[in-house]
C-alpha cells in the first residue's frame, strides 16, 4: 500500500458549482459552521476545521463543538467525507449521509482539498483541525503524506484511532468469519484500514507519529469501547499532549461516541486550541 495524493475518480461530486457553497456540499452544516464570509480575528487567526468520525456526518458529530467554537470567536468549518451513495442516517431527525466509509487515504485527500478551500476563502496561512475517532486520525495521514504539515498549526483528536483498533477483539475474530468480515469491509473500507495490523496502519507506522511544526493533543476516555485498547490513541513525539477525561473528571462515564459532547472533553479541546488562555478544566 502506498500513499495517495489526490482524490480518486469516484469523488467527482465533491466539485463545487456556482449554485452551491464553495465546498459544493448540500449536507446540512452544524450550527456555527461553514460561514464562508467569516474572516479570522487577531485573537483566533487560524480557522478550525472539524472532521467527523466513521459512520457519522458533519451535522450530527459537531452539534455541540461547532456552536461552542463559533461563540468563542472562531471561524469554524466542517466537511463531510467518505460517503457511499444510498447509505444514510436519520438519527438526528434528518435524513443525512453516513460518512467515513471510504479508504482513509482517499478521505485524507478530500480533507487536503477542503483545507486549501478554507485557507483560500479566509486568507489564513494555516488551519487548526479537530477530529473525532477516524476524524482524529486521518488528518495525521494528511500531515505525514500529503504535505499538510505546513498548513496546519494544531491537531486535536477526540478518541482518535491513531494506531488502529481491535474493536474489543472483533477485528481479531473477523478472519474466522469471512462472510461477516466481507459484509463489514465492503460497505466500510475505512473499517478495514483502522483494524490493527492493516496495510494502512503499516504505512502510518513507517513514519513517526508526528511531523515538525504541528502541535498535537489527544483526548481519550478510559471507557472507550470502540478504539481499543484506549491507550493506543496516544501519540509519541515532541509537542504532544495526551489527555484523559477521567484525569479531570474521575466520575465521568463518557464513552467513545459521547466524548464529542462531553463538557470536560470539549473544555480540553478549547484549551488545546488556545493554550495561552487555557482555564482549569471542570468536571461535567
Amino acid at each position: 500500500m502506498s500513499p495517495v495524493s489526490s482524490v480518486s475518480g469516484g469523488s467527482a461530486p465533491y466539485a463545487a458549482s456556482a449554485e452551491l457553497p464553495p465546498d459544493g456540499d448540500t449536507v446540512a452544516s452544524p450550527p456555527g459552521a461553514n460561514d464562508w464570509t467569516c474572516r479570522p480575528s487577531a485573537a483566533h487567526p487560524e480557522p478550525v476545521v472539524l472532521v467527523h468520525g466513521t459512520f457519522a456526518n458533519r451535522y450530527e458529530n459537531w452539534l455541540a463543538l461547532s456552536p461552542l467554537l463559533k461563540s468563542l470567536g472562531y471561524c469554524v468549518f466542517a466537511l463531510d467525507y467518505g460517503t457511499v451513495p444510498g447509505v444514510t442516517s436519520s438519527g438526528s431527525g434528518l435524513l443525512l449521509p453516513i460518512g467515513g466509509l471510504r479508504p482513509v487515504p482517499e478521505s485524507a485527500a478530500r480533507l487536503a482539498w477542503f483545507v486549501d478551500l478554507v485557507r483560500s476563502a479566509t486568507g489564513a496561512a494555516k488551519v487548526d483541525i479537530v477530529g473525532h475517532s477516524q476524524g482524529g486520525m486521518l488528518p495525521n495521514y494528511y500531515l505525514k503524506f500529503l504535505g499538510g504539515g505546513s498548513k496546519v498549526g494544531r491537531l486535536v483528536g477526540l478518541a482518535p484511532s491513531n494506531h488502529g483498533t481491535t474493536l474489543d477483539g472483533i477485528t481479531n475474530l473477523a478472519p474466522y468469519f469471512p462472510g461477516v468480515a466481507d459484509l463489514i469491509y465492503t460497505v466500510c473500507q475505512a473499517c478495514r484500514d483502522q483494524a490493527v495490523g492493516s496495510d494502512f496502519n503499516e504505512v502510518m507506522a513507517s513514519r513517526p507519529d508526528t511531523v515538525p511544526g504541528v502541535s498535537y493533543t489527544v483526548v481519550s476516555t478510559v471507557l472507550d469501547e470502540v478504539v481499543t485498547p484506549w491507550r493506543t490513541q496516544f501519540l509519541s513525539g515532541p509537542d504532544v499532549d495526551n489527555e484523559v477525561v477521567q484525569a479531570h473528571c474521575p466520575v465521568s462515564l463518557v464513552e467513545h461516541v459521547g466524548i464529542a459532547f462531553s463538557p470536560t472533553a470539549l473544555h480540553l479541546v478549547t484549551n488545546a486550541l488556545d493554550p495561552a488562555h487555557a482555564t482549569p478544566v471542570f468536571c461535567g
Side-chain angles (χ1 to χ4, degrees):
M1 180 180 182
S2 60
V4 299
S5 59
S6 62
V7 179
S8 61
S11 299
Y14 293 149
S17 73
E19 293 77 24
L20 295 173
D23 65 344
D25 208 328
T26 58
V27 176
S29 295
N34 297 335
D35 173 5
W36 294 95
T37 67
C38 187
R39 297 296 176 264
S41 65
H44 302 301
E46 295 179 349
V48 179
V49 173
L50 304 179
V51 188
H52 65 72
T54 311
F55 303 127
N57 54 64
R58 66 183 181 185
Y59 180 80
E60 293 170 322
N61 212 147
W62 301 119
L63 283 171
L65 183 59
S66 179
L68 172 61
L69 293 178
K70 185 68 172 181
S71 73
L72 294 175
Y74 289 91
C75 289
V76 184
F77 297 88
L79 76 156
D80 270 302
Y81 69 90
T83 57
V84 173
V87 182
T88 58
S89 165
S90 58
S92 63
L94 299 174
L95 190 63
L96 297 171
I98 294 175
L101 304 179
R102 295 185 181 276
V104 175
E106 178 183 316
S107 296
R110 161 72 165 160
L111 173 62
W113 172 83
F114 191 81
V115 167
D116 284 345
L117 190 67
V118 170
R119 291 171 61 241
S120 177
T122 61
K126 293 185 177 183
V127 304
D128 292 336
I129 296 177
V130 180
H132 177 219
S133 192
Q134 180 191 164
M137 172 275 294
L138 80 82
N140 216 7
Y141 184 95
Y142 164 55
L143 299 179
K144 288 183 178 186
F145 298 108
L146 304 184
S150 63
K151 302 174 182 179
V152 176
R154 303 180 185 279
L155 171 57
V156 183
L158 289 164
S161 53
N162 281 325
H163 300 102
T165 174
T166 65
L167 292 175
D168 270 343
I170 292 176
T171 55
N172 290 331
L173 289 173
Y176 296 95
F177 303 96
V180 173
D182 290 345
L183 177 63
I184 295 172
Y185 293 143
T186 298
V187 176
C188 180
Q189 293 164 292
C191 296
R192 183 187 299 275
D193 286 346
Q194 291 176 89
V196 168
S198 68
D199 290 347
F200 172 80
N201 275 304
E202 290 185 6
V203 170
M204 289 292 281
S206 69
R207 296 188 182 180
D209 276 358
T210 63
V211 300
V214 180
S215 297
Y216 296 79
T217 300
V218 173
V219 182
S220 302
T221 170
V222 301
L223 299 179
D224 199 311
E225 78 285 22
V226 176
V227 179
T228 54
W230 63 268
R231 287 184 179 86
T232 62
Q233 299 170 20
F234 290 171
L235 295 172
S236 298
D239 211 359
V240 172
D241 181 19
N242 293 309
E243 297 279 359
V244 182
V245 169
Q246 284 78 12
H248 300 272
C249 186
V251 298
S252 175
L253 298 178
V254 68
E255 40 63 69
H256 182 81
V257 174
I259 199 169
F261 302 89
S262 159
T264 302
L266 298 189
H267 196 157
L268 288 166
V269 171
T270 57
N271 278 356
L273 292 174
D274 191 5
H277 299 95
T279 58
V281 178
F282 58 82
C283 186

